[in-house]
Amino acid sequence: MTRTKSSLDALADYPADWTHRAKPIFPGESLYLPGACLKWYDIRGADQDATPEVSAEARDFLTAEATAERLEFRQELGFVLLHRDGAKYFMLVCVWRDKNEMWQGLYYKDDAGFLPYPPKPGFLRPTQSIEELDATAHERRGWSRYLLSERDHAAKQAYLDDLCTGELV
């Protein structure tokens, strides 16, 4: 099939008044759970206030899920992205499993609290926004450095100390 410029016109066509904006990322204290230690990140628009009460609710939720064994950890390291997108909150829980694989669970917040994100129909599924992918790229590089290291206590601490900061684009 020959592609022409005109065949691209309808692809990735977004309204002219929509603008992609960088979002700041804010590292928090790591969360220690049964079977895991997770770095913590809050992501929100530059014009949005911090919501420490939502971060505390998210931490409490994950602690309860792990304690009740509804969220399984296998002595792993990883990270959490709590992403405020307008009035919505999404929480991505990512762990490094089977040495070099990132496994992810996705939650969203509604009036009842945090809930597993429902699967969408079809084969393709949403995974991460562009900002989340930027943070995940930082974490992937850190995990790769860990895998290339002695993988001792110092290397684990170096991974936990290597935090994504600044703006995600």
Side-chain angles (χ1 to χ4, degrees):
M1 174 176 161
T2 303
R3 289 177 177 73
T4 64
K5 183 179 179 193
S6 63
S7 68
L8 295 177
D9 289 344
L11 303 178
D13 193 20
Y14 303 114
D17 63 345
W18 182 83
T19 303
H20 176 67
R21 290 182 170 72
K23 289 185 175 179
I25 186 167
F26 303 91
E29 283 188 43
S30 291
L31 180 62
Y32 289 84
L33 298 170
C37 177
L38 305 174
K39 295 185 196 183
W40 191 273
Y41 295 106
D42 287 299
I43 302 169
R44 62 179 179 272
D47 58 340
Q48 294 181 306
D49 292 330
T51 52
E53 67 282 357
V54 175
S55 294
E57 179 184 354
R59 288 170 169 273
D60 291 345
F61 170 78
L62 290 178
T63 299
E65 290 295 288
T67 300
E69 298 180 352
R70 289 184 295 267
L71 181 55
E72 175 194 9
F73 294 115
R74 303 175 186 169
Q75 304 305 317
E76 297 161 316
L77 293 172
F79 58 98
V80 174
L81 303 174
L82 180 59
H83 186 174
R84 182 177 178 188
D85 186 16
K88 299 176 185 175
Y89 289 87
F90 299 94
M91 181 168 52
L92 293 78
V93 179
C94 304
V95 293
W96 300 108
R97 189 170 280 179
D98 295 334
K99 300 174 198 73
N100 63 355
E101 296 176 355
M102 186 188 84
W103 287 45
Q104 174 182 292
L106 177 59
Y107 298 94
Y108 73 101
K109 182 178 175 7
D110 72 3
D111 293 338
F114 284 93
L115 299 166
Y117 193 81
K120 300 289 184 184
F123 181 71
L124 296 177
R125 310 285 168 111
T127 56
Q128 294 189 5
S129 72
I130 197 164
E131 299 90 2
E132 294 157 354
L133 283 167
D134 199 11
T136 298
H138 172 91
E139 290 299 313
R140 185 212 55 83
R141 288 187 299 274
W143 190 249
S144 186
R145 284 189 295 275
Y146 171 75
L147 293 176
L148 292 168
S149 76
E150 295 293 321
R151 298 183 304 277
D152 56 8
H153 180 85
K156 292 172 188 176
Q157 191 62 55
Y159 170 74
L160 291 174
D161 291 342
D162 180 22
L163 300 173
C164 183
T165 59
E167 287 193 326
L168 306 173
V169 291

